[in-house]
Amino acid sequence: MRAQLASVATRFVNATSRRLGRGQGTVAGGRVGLRVDPELLEHLSTGRQVVLVTGTNGKTTTTRLVTVGLGASGDAVASNETGSNMPEGHVAALAGTVAPRAVLEVDEVYLPRVLTATAAAAVVLLNLSRDQLDRTNEVRMVAGRWRAALAAAPRTHVVANADDPLVVWGAGAARDVRWVGAGLRWQRDAVGCPSCEGRIEFGEGGWACTSCAFARPVPVATLAVAPDGSATGVWSDGTVRPLALRLPGRFNLANALMAAVACEACGVEPDDALSVMATVEEVAGRFTVREFGDVRARLMLAKNPAGWEELLDLVAQGHVPLVVSINARVADGGDPSWLWDVPYERLADRTVVATGDRVRDLSVRLHYAGVAHTTEEDPVRAVARAADHAAGAVDVIGNYTAFHDLLEHSA
Amino acid sequence: MKGALRVAVVYPDLLGTYGDGGNGAILARRAQWRGFEAELVQAVSDDPLPEADIYCLGGGEDGPQVRAARSLVDDGTLARRAGAGAVVLAVCAGFQIVGRSFPGAEGEPHEGVGLLAMETVKGEGPRAVGEVLVDVTGLHDLPVLTGFENHGGRTRLDDGTTPLGHVTVGVGNGGGDGSEGALHGRVVGTYLHGPVLARNPALADVLLSWALGGASLAPLDDAAAERLRDERVSAVSRRHRRGLHRRTGSDR
Ligand SMILES: [Zn+2]
């Protein structure tokens, strides 16, 4: 009864705040619902197959891929696609629907709590690395909390990246883990062994601690990318499945492989799941070509050094002008020192326009990286300025709030 | 000096969490831009610490900080080179490491390298996180320093240890005297990230000039850094004044 009331309250607040144009409504609605019934997420999860997706980078995209993948079963699939990845967002996503399956993006720190509340059928662990320096981001501590929570959830299938030692530590005490060889471009947060005081060494095809037995587990599926860019997922039973995506980049192939294994763990044929994932063109505005007046801009999000490593691989292949927009608002973290962990030197041959609230920090970084650039305080004008150098097409990379600002100002 | 200037980033695998690796890169670039030969070395913790003219230590998490200190004490090179006049810039966890002792994750004391006469203990309150402005008193003719601090430790300088300066905004050493950082010979310690030399090129040039045997350094194009400094100083002072007003208002 209380749960029903709370659920109605959530839906009502969501609808009202959407009508008033107060953001996405979900957080406010969920908060009210949780106040009426603190166990609302437990109640809303009962009788559903819930999949949780977490990690530092790729959560939103992978959540979307698992959602469409599970949809191949013909079932309706609920998801928190509007961006709030904390319990109030989860409640809001589930309150309005009777969908028998749900895929929830979860903030790394909230995973233990949400896992307990939802009794999830599966959890996807993508990666763990530094993000938002001013929040004392001790990634090791987060991995330790995942480990304890998953050890206490023996009925949950865990799908985890075998190439990230911190993720392997986090998943390592779970009863059922499907390891995925998804790759790890940024390794600098994983050099200290989480199991002992030793050191992780990365080498051809794997990693291992130099002082204890902690090492890369054997995956059930591994990402293989050919020199021509075509990719497959190689399952340990010998099955090879092509990974054809409209989403660009190696990291999205890895996300898709993790998503396919998650779908398999939930009883959906990976071939069926992958064929629907192949049709996804954008995720919450990421990777879409947006229009700013008559300029066409491909919008991308990179909010930390690990995300930048991956995106630099992607944009380094192109030659259109690049706009980089950096903010340091609350959702970004107030300290943009991480810009010095990004190898911007690789942009030396590109036309670059720097913008965002923290354009001056970025400009100093680019100066020392030897990247000639112009600065423009206003992000939308920066896009126009970049387009002056090209036939109306540019790449744009922003960190979290910078990306969302630009998304809002485009069509 | 003979041969290239060697700038070592000390243990980027352990003390590389907060972007302070930029300090070493900046020093090498500023030397090169002036026609000096300079070499940037990433000195990982597995290897013996190499001989260098400048050593840069950065911030890191509790566990790695303890391991870094143990390695540096056992290795001995840093203390020996500092004694021989090498320049040391130590930031945050690195600053704590070059003191006599610093706290681990549970507050237990660990032995530091002892280049600066000071001790760090675990702070009582919340971590000091935010923008900092420092009036420099320990070095001549340096403009105000701007940076970002993020630490739980409180550092007490021994009587007679020279602070780098005193904070006008932010916490700094946190010992109650308003001091920030410490200095001894050519060893400079500070809590400022940013990285500190990106925001404060004048400090970078003091360190370079020491390492180059007092050479006078040709001016560089620091327009971008000047714009950043202006913005940080004015944004932070503005916020600080507003905060003070609010406090006065509620007192009444
Ligand atoms: Zn180990």
Side-chain angles (χ1 to χ4, degrees), chain A residues 22 202 209 241:
Chain A
R22 296 247 176 95
F202 291 86
C209 175
R241 297 185 165 96

Side-chain angles (χ1 to χ4, degrees), chain A residues 193-200 209-214:
Chain A
C193 176
S195 177
C196 73
E197 292 268 286
R199 178 187 175 79
I200 302 289
C209 175
T210 54
S211 3
C212 77
F214 190 55

Side-chain angles (χ1 to χ4, degrees), chain A residues 130 133 136 199 340 360 368, chain B residues 13 16 30 46 127 227:
Chain A
R130 65 188 68 178
L133 299 181
T136 48
R199 178 187 175 79
W340 291 81
R360 296 174 183 206
Y368 281 102
Chain B
D13 50 327
R30 294 181 76 80
D46 264 3
R127 284 175 77 85
R227 282 192 292 271

Side-chain angles (χ1 to χ4, degrees), chain A residues 9-212:
Chain A
T10 304
R11 263 175 305 177
F12 174 74
V13 175
N14 279 350
T16 311
S17 90
R18 245 179 259 127
R19 246 190 331 269
L20 293 173
R22 296 247 176 95
Q24 290 153 328
T26 59
V27 176
R31 221 173 266 149
V32 171
L34 282 167
R35 212 170 296 145
V36 178
D37 175 6
E39 298 200 336
L40 184 55
L41 188 53
E42 281 84 338
H43 298 135
L44 287 171
S45 301
T46 308
R48 292 189 220 248
Q49 181 189 65
V50 177
V51 179
L52 308 179
V53 178
T54 195
T56 308
N57 288 317
K59 289 189 284 285
T60 306
T61 301
T62 308
T63 298
R64 174 93 182 115
L65 292 174
V66 178
T67 304
V68 299
L70 291 181
S73 65
D75 291 339
V77 186
S79 182
N80 55 334
E81 283 182 17
T82 46
S84 165
N85 59 15
M86 293 183 242
E88 45 267 40
H90 303 143
V91 161
L94 299 179
T97 171
V98 293
R101 304 184 194 237
V103 185
L104 302 176
E105 174 187 333
V106 185
D107 181 276
E108 303 86 284
V109 175
Y110 281 81
L111 180 70
R113 214 162 111 190
V114 176
L115 175 61
T116 310
T118 58
V123 172
V124 181
L125 307 176
L126 298 168
N127 48 61
L128 258 182
S129 70
R130 65 188 68 178
D131 188 45
Q132 297 192 34
L133 299 181
D134 59 337
R135 295 205 179 151
T136 48
N137 180 44
E138 302 233 341
V139 286
R140 244 147 256 286
M141 212 150 67
V142 176
R145 290 191 187 137
W146 285 5
R147 188 176 172 90
L150 290 166
R155 281 203 296 241
T156 300
H157 301 290
V158 179
V159 176
N161 185 355
D163 289 310
D164 187 333
L166 285 172
V167 164
V168 172
W169 180 249
R175 199 183 54 82
D176 170 38
V177 190
R178 298 172 190 220
W179 302 108
V180 180
L184 186 75
R185 187 76 172 72
W186 170 267
Q187 300 173 335
R188 280 176 49 192
D189 289 311
V191 285
C193 176
S195 177
C196 73
E197 292 268 286
R199 178 187 175 79
I200 302 289
E201 238 164 46
F202 291 86
E204 197 77 10
W207 54 263
C209 175
T210 54
S211 3
C212 77

Side-chain angles (χ1 to χ4, degrees), chain A residues 288-290 292 294-300 308 311-312 314-325 346-355 366 371-374 379-398 406:
Chain A
T288 37
V289 174
R290 307 278 296 182
F292 296 83
D294 50 11
V295 180
R296 283 170 300 112
R298 180 168 61 155
L299 276 192
M300 289 166 282
W308 268 100
L311 270 194
L312 282 177
L314 180 65
V315 299
Q317 298 159 11
H319 50 268
V320 298
L322 177 66
V323 175
V324 180
S325 184
R346 288 163 62 192
L347 295 175
D349 300 332
R350 294 291 288 271
T351 299
V352 175
V353 180
T355 185
L366 293 174
V371 180
H373 62 281
T374 51
V380 175
R381 275 208 297 276
V383 173
R385 164 103 62 108
D388 288 346
H389 299 275
V394 302
D395 278 344
V396 180
I397 307 180
L406 278 162

